[in-house]
Each structure stands twice: as structure tokens, then as C-alpha cells.
Amino acid sequence: MRTANRERCSSTSIKSSSSVHRILIVLALAQAGLSVRPAFSADSTKSALSELEFKNSGIVTKGMRFEYLDQPLEYAEDTDYWNVTRRAKYLYQVEGEQRVDPPTGMRSAVPLGGLGSGTVELRADGSFHDWNIFNNSPASGNKIQIDDTFFGLRVRQKSEDKSLVLCTQPSGDLPAIDRIEYSGEFPVSRLKYSDPSLPIGITLYAYSEFHSQDAAASATPAAIFTFELFNPSDHTAEVSLIFNIRNFIEGRLSTGTEFSLVKSGDISTSGTIAVRASGDKPIVTNVFTGSDLREIWNAFSTGTFRQAQNMQEDPRYVTFAVTTAIPAKQSREVTYVLAWYFPNRSFKDQRPGNYYTRLYSSADDVASKVLDRLSETQKAIKAWQAVILQNSLPDWLQDSLVNSVATMYKTGMRLEDGRWRQWESFSCAGLDPVHIDFYRILPYAFFFPELQEQLLSTHAKFQQDDGFIHEQLTTGCFSVDSQLDEPGGREMGDSASSLILEAWQIYSWTGDRVFLDSIWPNVKKAAEWQIRRSETYGLPQKLENTYDWWQFGEKDLVSYNGFLHLSAMLAAKKLADVENDSTLAQKYRAAFQKGQESLHEHFWTGEYFRSWWLEGKKYPDALHADTLYGQLWAFILDLGLLVDEAKISSHLESEQRQNGSPFGLKVMRNANPLHPELENIVPPSRLSEPSPPDNMIWQAGSLDWTSLNLYMGKSEEGSLLEAEKIVRNWRDRMRDQWDYTDTTTAWDGYLWCNSHYARQLIFWSIPLALSGQHYYAPDGRLTFDPKVAAPAKLPFFTPQAAGEIELLGQGRYRLSVAYGHLRVKTLRVDRAVLKNPISLQSGDSVIVKNE
């Protein structure tokens, strides 16, 4: 039972600016039994957080008004439901009678938590959203919003007090901070607070543990909050922070120097939440409880929370206060860790659990270990971000690349036995459709290759005897219709082909022969399935694909499937060569040549490759933006041209000319005369009628167009244009870049279908295309054919290491490694070749130049 009385524990503050006096006070407090935490160790006081770069920002003030309003669309996720159709509640800023797009960080923000371990978001107004830490997902539990968890601040200086909630629109009509400036670069959110009445400066860095190439170290179920406090005045300031937590799990309070909430049982919220704190100088901590926000705030703002009283055992709120003294002209850091430990993840009727329970014993264990390695965590984040942000890429691309990785944390889950699974999206709740996995696979290959290998092996495990690869690892979209790892779906033209291409990508980038030998039988069966489906016309017939609005499964031939088939046959031949099977290599080469002839015969219009072909029936010269997706993978994997260069160039020019719009390439042209052109659509019509599919923007088409154009040697500026439209629409216009949908409209650019999507991760091909990077690990060969002029810096990525290739001019280049270990036997940049084997680790570099 909850009691109505507010009950608190005691504390005091350290105010002296004398180090000797400070130590005496700390000792005295410790002897009195009060909660005092020592400072970080000496080598951890140099925080890397203030050195991080941020490429976006949004400002929220307490005078702004925000509302969730109806947004017409096909289907999506909204604030309260995993899936809604026709309309969703979408956040807008309201100015008088007008609704406008809110500042960056309000609609979505950087997710905080662990890789596959649950996340929560801290938004630009200081509020917490999307509590996905309680094992809640489309397969088990509802969306959870807890709006009365918040940070607060109290400053006492020269006998004057000032207390504010660090939110611009807090619950309970509490006093609000005047202004917050939000910026986010995954895995970090930065909130800069300001208020005319505050005598100190305050910045919060909210972040997660992220370690490239170490999935286990990235799976920590915790969010970290580091406050940087600066006292610009000539007088010492006593500063108290509070972290007010609503006891959502209705757990029992356990206190020591900090606190935990503990709930027994075997339901999804059974487990623990723990909060810990530390600082770069000694801090004093207090925990107090209450049932009413106003009473809690009054206790904090008046300082009476320090009076010793009993604690509620099952409180509605637990408030954790940290107090520190900041001498004049000095700074302090205070860090909170919010950790969780909920072992009982369910998936419908199954109980697969959580991987993090193999790494930690409790939320207390998580929090303690996170605090112990803060410096290591911050340095790892800085090194990873620097590779992407400190180069010659345009800022919109840098920003989008860094933040795109957030989708792994947001929609992924890692189960107790180590299995990695990721939703297609929360609003289309299928697990790991092969065709979506392949679009989002590049950052996995670079940063978590072990998860990529595991996932592809899983798809291979469920392969049918005839070679067929299931569409996804569950069935259903708007609902979860099967148990975990009960695969199903449609017959797809981009499932078996994707498995073949990805097997070649993994082997060529890792040199992992054990993995290749294990999956080679599946590759052979997948290739045979592709060839059998191609017996009639030389290309696979009557297969659906990821662009599923045009009933491609009823079409005799589809060019999108055809290009994937050609690239898959070339990859299969490469793999057969490695496996010393010359008979199969010849067979796959013949299948490629037959398919190539069919592609020209059935699809080429003289200007572009039409989308589909029908035997004995009329068909339109429909133009699909993303027809050449298979060619893109052929470029990425150094497989070469699938058709002649002039036809590729002509097709790309046609896509831009016919499919272009201010918000990206329209997915289809000339497909249906009943689908009007863009200028004939009245935007309000979407309130009552579904939009013609041809006038949607499936954003991958624009992103792939950019990479293809770069690989074809076209100008950097002209090539980047289509990708820039997509990114700027989400980043600078809707300001919702942590929640991409798969499609937007061509008439106003707003969201139309899906949520927290990851197909856009294919834009990791853009830096590969710009640098012309190709890597073949079995021979230790790394080559670059840059598409930009010197001087320039471009990032490079391999599963073993990442860094930059710097174009110095006059045929000279510098390759530098930021993290990992790169071993190559041959390094070539343009015509400059270094034939001696090299071994480079973090901080190492090598010069290569023309002879």
C-alpha cells in the first residue's frame, strides 16, 4: 500500500573551497553515516564529452505550445500505439491557428540504452519518451510513456535559492526552465539549459555505451547522464540536482548509498531499476520518496529533503538528489546512471529472455560497472564519431550517418541465448525480412560483423530443401502472427539473391573461410533455386519483392528482381571459385549471361529499363526508381557492370528526369494512367482517399541513385543532390531524423508508411562510392579510387578497423586508423601503390604516393 505521507532521508552539502577543509568534511560526514561518494579517479576527470561535435540543434522554450494532431497516412506508429492506420497522432508546434514542424529533438531523439537491451529517449523539452526498457514490443506489451520522470536543479548562492525543473513543460505545474537547446549525435544527446534567473551554466550529455566491433560491450542496459556545471560568478555556488523517478514497476525500494526498485515474480516488469551517481569531485547524495509531485518539489526547493525520516517501501516516486559545491569560476561534473534488469522478455507464448542477463547479475551490477568505465565509454564514442564527422563529407551526410545507427538500438533485441533479432519496424512487426536486412546491413558489417554472420546463418538454417529462402523469421505485419523463429512470408525475388550476395560480402570483407564453408551448401541451393525460377526467360519469374505495391508476384518478369539475379550469379561464381568448384562457376557464369540477354530483350526501352514485362499481354513502360539496386551491390562488392555503362547512365538520367520531385525520386512513373501526376493531386484528398502509389517516395531509390551515379563517375555535387533531398527533409524540415518512415509523399514530403525504419541505412554506400573503396580480406587487398579532388579526407570502414584516407595532393595519400587493427598486403589509392604488408592500429598511419 502507498502512504500519503512524504518520507525522506537526510544529507548535507560540501561547501568549502579549501581542499583540506573538504577532506575533513567528507570524513566527518562518513563517520556520521551520511551518503558521500568520492570523486572519479584522477585519469577519468578529463571528460571527452565536451570535445564531441554536433551537427544539428533545436531550441525549445517554455512559451512554446506543442500538440499531437491527426496526420493522414497509410500506417505508422504513434505515441501510444505500435500500429495505427489512416491517421496517426503526430507532434506539431502550434503558433496561433497554425501548426508548424517542431524543433529538432521533439518528435524523436537519440535512443538511450543498450544494443538489443531496450531504450528510452530524452527529448528536446527535457521530457522522457518511449520507455522500451520493460520488455515491451509488438510481440509482448504496449507502448509506455512516463511523463513525470525528470531532472531538477537547485542553486544556493549568497543565501539565495533558485529551483527549476529541467523541462520546459513539466508535469504537475512545476517551475520550468526557460530554454533548452538540443543536439543529438548517436549515441549522445546534448541539452544546454539556460534561464535568466540561473547563476550557473548547465549542460547535460545523455548517452549510451557504444563500442564499435564489440556487440557485447554495447549491450549495456543503461542510460548515462553527465551534467557539466559551471559557476561564472565570484562566489561559491551550492548546487543540488535531482533525478525524480516514477515507480512504474511498482517495485519495493532498496536503499544504500543510492537506490534500487525491486519487483519479484516472472512477468515482464519483474526485475530491478537502479540509479547511481558520481562526480569529478566529492558529492553528497540523498534519496527521498513521496506520493505527490508538488510535495516532492517543495521538499527539494526548500532544502527540507535533507531532514532524516523513514522511507516508503513502495513509493510512487523516488527522488535521488546529488549536491556539490562549485567554487567561483570553476566547473564540476555529476553523472547519473539509470540501469535496468528485466530478465523476463516474452515473445507471444515464448520466454526467450535478454542477453544482458549473461553479462550482469543485477541493475546494481550494471550501474556500478558503467560508472567505473565512464572514461573508456566516452573515449570509444569520441573515436567512433570522429571517423564519420571529421572529414570532407557534407555535414548533412555526416549527421545522418552517425544517427542512422540508432535504429539498431531502437528496434533490435538480443535474446538470452545470444540470438540477434530486429523488427522490420514497430508498425510492421515482422522479424528480419531478408530484403530489409540487406538494405540495412552495411553498418552491421562495419561495426557488429558477428551479428551479421549470425543473422545470415539463421536465414540459411531455415532454408527449404529446394533452396527457397523465407521472406522473414516470423509471419505478419500489422500484428505478430507466429512464434519467434517460425519463418514465413511470400515468394520473393530478393531473398535467395540477397543471401548469395551477403555471403560473398561477408567472406570478401572478413576472409572467414570457416563461415564460408558452413554457408556454402546454402548458397548452392539458393543459386539453384534462382536458376530454376529463370528456366523460361533467363530471369526469375513471378516473384514479389520489397516494392510490394505493384503485385510483382503476378508479373512474368520484373527488372528489379532481374538485376539482383545477375549480381547474385556473379557473386555465386566468385564463391564457387573460392570453393574450387569450376563446374558450378561455369554454370553460374552461363546463368549470368543468359539473364543479361533477357534483361536487354525484355526491359530496355531505348532510354531505360522498364519495371516489368508480361508474356502476351500489354504492359506499360513503367519506370521504377531503384531498378538498379542489384547493380549498386555489384559496385559495392567489386563484381563489375551487369549491363553496359551507357545503358546504366541513360537509366539513371531517366529516373531523375521522370521521377524527380522536391523531396526525392517518386517510386514509379507511367505505371497506371489512373494515377495522376503530382500537380493534379490536391493534398487534402489524402484525408479521405488513399494516395496513388506512384506518387510516393520510397527513399532508398534516391539514396541508391546517388551512390550509383558516383560509382559511374558523375559529379559529386550532382550525384549527392537526390540523397540530400531525403536527408534534409527528415533532418531540417520535419526534424524527425531518429524516426524515418519507409515512404513519404511526393506532394508535401510528409510521412506515409512505417516507422523507425532502417532501409535508409543503404546510404552507408555513399562514402564507399565517394572513396571508391574495395576490400578483399582473403588477399589483404585494400584499394581506393576517390571520386573527389585533393585536398580531402574520406572515411574508410572494414569489419576490422576504421579511419580515414586523406588526399594530400600531387599523388600523395595518407591512410590513418582511428580504431581497430588493419592488416593489408597491398594498398592502392588511385595510381599510388604500397606493396609492402602493413599492420596499423589505433593512431597509426602510412603514406602512399605515386612512384
Side-chain angles (χ1 to χ4, degrees):
M1 295 291 291
R2 293 194 180 99
T3 61
N5 296 326
R6 183 177 69 254
E7 300 172 316
R8 314 176 199 100
C9 66
S10 68
S11 75
T12 189
S13 298
I14 303 172
K15 303 178 183 178
S16 171
S17 61
S18 164
S19 59
V20 175
H21 194 188
R22 185 183 306 276
I23 293 171
L24 292 175
I25 292 176
V26 171
L27 291 173
L29 293 172
Q31 291 173 352
L34 300 175
S35 302
V36 183
R37 280 196 68 102
F40 295 143
S41 60
D43 64 349
S44 66
T45 59
K46 298 179 180 178
S47 171
L49 296 172
S50 60
E51 300 173 1
L52 297 178
E53 294 185 45
F54 292 88
K55 304 286 185 174
N56 60 71
S57 69
I59 294 174
V60 179
T61 66
K62 65 181 179 183
M64 290 180 173
R65 179 183 162 207
F66 301 98
E67 290 186 21
Y68 283 95
L69 303 174
D70 279 350
Q71 182 73 32
L73 41 68
E74 183 72 12
Y75 68 87
E77 167 192 358
D78 73 5
T79 185
D80 295 319
Y81 300 98
W82 299 116
N83 174 278
V84 294
T85 58
R86 307 292 288 174
R87 287 174 173 81
K89 294 297 183 182
Y90 198 50
L91 187 70
Y92 281 92
Q93 182 181 343
V94 179
E95 296 179 343
E97 299 299 318
Q98 300 294 317
R99 67 182 193 178
V100 299
D101 295 299
T104 290
M106 284 300 297
R107 283 175 167 161
S108 59
V110 172
L112 306 170
L115 179 66
S117 302
T119 61
V120 63
E121 294 180 17
L122 179 60
R123 298 280 176 87
D125 62 351
S127 63
F128 287 89
H129 282 258
D130 283 10
W131 291 81
N132 296 342
I133 70 173
F134 302 108
N135 296 316
N136 48 321
S137 77
S140 56
N142 300 320
K143 293 195 70 173
I144 295 172
Q145 308 295 349
I146 306 174
D147 58 6
D148 46 4
T149 290
F150 59 82
F151 291 106
L153 173 75
R154 179 175 183 262
V155 182
R156 181 174 178 81
Q157 191 175 56
K158 296 192 302 182
S159 300
E160 295 182 3
D161 287 350
K162 183 63 182 179
S163 301
L164 294 170
V165 176
L166 297 180
C167 301
T168 56
Q169 288 91 19
S171 300
D173 196 29
L174 303 180
I177 193 81
D178 182 67
R179 182 180 186 271
I180 303 175
E181 179 184 354
Y182 176 91
S183 298
E185 301 293 350
F186 181 82
V188 185
S189 289
R190 182 185 68 188
L191 286 78
K192 291 184 174 180
Y193 304 92
S194 59
D195 193 287
S197 65
L198 275 183
I200 68 167
I202 178 170
T203 298
L204 168 61
Y205 295 91
Y207 53 106
S208 312
E209 293 196 329
F210 178 88
H211 296 267
S212 180
Q213 302 173 339
D214 193 338
S218 302
T220 308
I224 310 167
F225 306 94
T226 295
F227 287 89
E228 289 188 350
L229 311 167
F230 175 63
N231 177 12
S233 73
D234 297 324
H235 305 278
T236 296
E238 179 188 285
V239 178
S240 295
L241 292 162
I242 57 166
F243 192 2
N244 184 73
I245 307 286
R246 183 164 31 118
N247 185 5
F248 176 80
I249 65 172
E250 299 182 341
R252 174 179 51 81
L253 181 65
S254 174
T255 60
T257 56
E258 287 95 354
F259 80 86
S260 302
L261 291 167
V262 182
K263 182 174 183 175
S264 59
D266 60 0
I267 64 175
S268 62
T269 54
S270 297
T272 58
I273 289 179
V275 178
R276 298 287 178 269
S278 193
D280 61 347
K281 299 293 180 182
I283 59 172
V284 178
T285 64
N286 301 90
V287 178
F288 57 107
T289 62
S291 303
D292 179 79
L293 282 180
R294 173 56 64 179
E295 290 183 354
I296 287 173
W297 186 256
N298 287 340
F300 174 64
S301 60
T302 60
T304 57
F305 69 94
R306 299 171 181 175
Q307 299 171 6
Q309 296 187 20
N310 293 327
M311 304 282 284
Q312 296 176 4
E313 290 187 359
D314 56 347
R316 178 171 178 78
Y317 298 106
V318 184
T319 306
F320 187 3
V322 173
T323 301
T324 188
I326 311 178
K329 312 297 185 185
Q330 293 191 30
S331 299
R332 292 288 183 267
E333 273 192 9
V334 171
T335 295
Y336 286 99
V337 174
L338 171 66
W340 53 90
Y341 191 90
F342 297 107
N344 304 310
R345 174 181 288 278
S346 297
F347 193 100
K348 295 183 74 67
D349 298 333
Q350 299 167 306
R351 185 68 62 83
N354 283 307
Y355 177 70
Y356 62 73
T357 60
R358 295 170 54 181
L359 308 175
Y360 304 97
S361 60
S362 66
D364 292 314
D365 184 35
V366 174
S368 297
K369 288 176 178 174
V370 169
L371 280 177
D372 287 343
R373 58 191 182 220
L374 278 180
S375 178
E376 175 188 346
T377 296
Q378 294 170 8
K379 290 176 181 176
I381 292 170
K382 180 182 175 183
W384 177 74
Q385 287 190 352
V387 174
I388 306 167
L389 299 179
Q390 295 177 11
N391 51 53
S392 301
L393 299 180
D395 64 351
W396 58 266
L397 181 56
Q398 295 171 335
D399 194 24
S400 59
L401 290 172
V402 167
N403 282 307
S404 69
V405 180
T407 61
M408 298 179 178
Y409 276 54
K410 185 77 176 185
T411 61
M413 54 184 170
R414 197 163 189 194
L415 310 176
E416 184 177 6
D417 61 8
R419 282 177 291 170
W420 171 261
R421 299 291 181 267
Q422 188 173 8
W423 299 103
E424 175 178 347
S425 75
F426 288 142
S427 53
C428 186
L431 276 187
D432 291 295
V434 180
H435 49 99
I436 302 301
D437 278 350
F438 200 40
Y439 272 97
R440 64 191 178 192
I441 210 63
L442 283 174
Y444 281 101
F446 300 147
F447 310 131
F448 303 115
E450 64 181 279
L451 299 185
Q452 182 195 10
E453 288 193 13
Q454 179 210 102
L455 188 55
L456 191 65
S457 296
T458 301
H459 285 296
K461 171 186 173 182
F462 293 114
Q463 184 179 37
Q464 293 185 175
D465 291 340
D466 65 355
F468 171 74
I469 297 294
H470 292 283
E471 179 186 2
Q472 57 189 27
L473 296 180
T474 54
T475 59
C477 174
F478 293 167
S479 62
V480 182
D481 297 337
S482 70
Q483 299 293 339
L484 183 67
D485 287 358
E486 291 184 358
R490 302 161 293 182
E491 284 196 327
M492 307 292 284
D494 45 5
S495 290
S497 56
S498 294
L499 181 136
I500 297 167
L501 285 163
E502 194 172 343
W504 170 244
Q505 175 262 303
I506 290 173
Y507 175 70
S508 62
W509 290 3
T510 67
D512 188 343
R513 186 58 186 266
V514 173
F515 171 79
L516 174 58
D517 290 346
S518 70
I519 206 167
W520 173 235
N522 306 99
V523 170
K524 289 190 291 185
K525 289 196 292 185
E528 288 299 317
W529 188 85
Q530 289 283 131
I531 292 172
R532 283 196 304 275
R533 294 301 295 242
S534 304
E535 287 176 349
T536 304
Y537 302 111
L539 291 171
Q541 64 182 112
K542 294 188 180 298
L543 293 176
E544 191 56 83
N545 65 49
T546 191
Y547 288 93
D548 51 9
W549 285 351
W550 289 272
Q551 294 79 49
F552 284 141
E554 301 173 7
K555 308 293 194 284
D556 288 309
L557 294 177
V558 176
S559 56
Y560 177 90
N561 295 342
F563 274 96
L564 276 170
H565 174 74
L566 294 185
S567 58
M569 289 300 100
L570 290 183
K573 179 192 177 300
K574 292 274 192 180
L575 292 167
D577 288 338
V578 174
E579 292 288 348
N580 295 313
D581 193 327
S582 59
T583 301
L584 280 181
Q586 291 174 3
K587 183 176 184 178
Y588 300 150
R589 180 67 186 178
F592 168 80
Q593 292 171 337
K594 183 179 179 182
Q596 190 180 52
E597 293 171 0
S598 178
L599 195 74
H600 288 135
E601 175 186 352
H602 295 108
F603 294 109
W604 182 244
T605 68
E607 294 183 6
Y608 57 86
F609 295 94
R610 65 174 63 89
S611 181
W612 66 83
W613 174 85
L614 301 174
E615 174 73 60
K617 299 178 182 178
K618 291 184 178 180
Y619 49 86
D621 284 342
L623 177 55
H624 173 203
D626 211 15
T627 296
L628 303 183
Y629 177 59
Q631 178 63 73
L632 175 58
W633 275 105
F635 281 142
I636 293 170
L637 300 179
D638 204 16
L639 297 172
L641 292 168
L642 304 181
V643 295
D644 69 76
E645 191 171 349
K647 286 183 171 64
I648 294 175
S649 293
S650 179
H651 182 97
L652 293 172
E653 291 167 4
S654 297
E655 282 189 4
Q656 188 175 44
R657 183 176 64 254
Q658 295 195 36
N659 299 54
S661 86
F663 305 107
L665 297 177
K666 287 172 279 188
V667 62
M668 192 75 75
R669 293 288 86 196
N670 315 317
N672 188 336
L674 299 178
H675 290 178
E677 293 296 324
L678 177 62
E679 56 266 24
N680 296 326
I681 294 179
V682 179
S685 70
R686 65 180 178 153
L687 295 172
S688 57
E689 297 294 332
S691 168
D694 293 11
N695 287 302
M696 292 296 110
I697 296 168
W698 292 48
Q699 294 151 122
S702 298
L703 304 173
D704 292 349
W705 186 94
T706 286
S707 295
L708 283 161
N709 228 41
L710 288 168
Y711 277 118
M712 291 297 294
K714 307 301 182 182
S715 74
E716 176 188 0
E717 181 179 0
S719 298
L720 290 173
L721 177 63
E722 292 301 335
E724 184 175 4
K725 290 178 185 178
I726 300 298
V727 171
R728 288 200 181 278
N729 188 39
W730 283 100
R731 173 182 180 259
D732 301 334
R733 184 170 171 268
M734 288 189 283
R735 305 183 191 112
D736 197 8
Q737 68 171 321
W738 296 280
D739 187 8
Y740 271 65
T741 61
D742 194 21
T743 65
T744 58
T745 68
W747 59 83
D748 65 6
Y750 277 92
L751 63 161
W752 187 254
C753 188
N754 256 305
S755 61
H756 290 110
Y757 221 67
R759 194 195 297 271
Q760 75 277 6
L761 267 63
I762 193 63
F763 58 29
W764 282 88
S765 63
I766 297 176
L768 297 181
L770 282 166
S771 68
Q773 174 187 323
H774 286 117
Y775 179 50
Y776 189 62
D779 291 347
R781 184 175 69 247
L782 178 61
T783 63
F784 299 92
D785 292 286
K787 306 301 189 295
V788 301
K793 294 181 180 180
L794 297 171
F796 81 85
F797 305 96
T798 74
Q800 300 82 21
E804 71 178 20
I805 181 71
E806 184 176 3
L807 286 60
L808 301 171
Q810 298 182 333
R812 299 175 69 250
Y813 307 91
R814 178 186 293 113
L815 182 75
S816 303
V817 171
Y819 64 82
H821 191 178
L822 181 67
R823 300 179 181 89
V824 296
K825 296 177 182 177
T826 301
L827 173 63
R828 180 182 61 78
V829 187
D830 198 9
R831 290 176 295 172
V833 180
L834 185 67
K835 296 183 178 179
N836 298 324
I838 57 173
S839 176
L840 303 178
Q841 300 190 52
S842 177
D844 293 342
S845 64
V846 65
I847 296 286
V848 56
K849 57 186 178 180
N850 291 335
E851 293 299 333

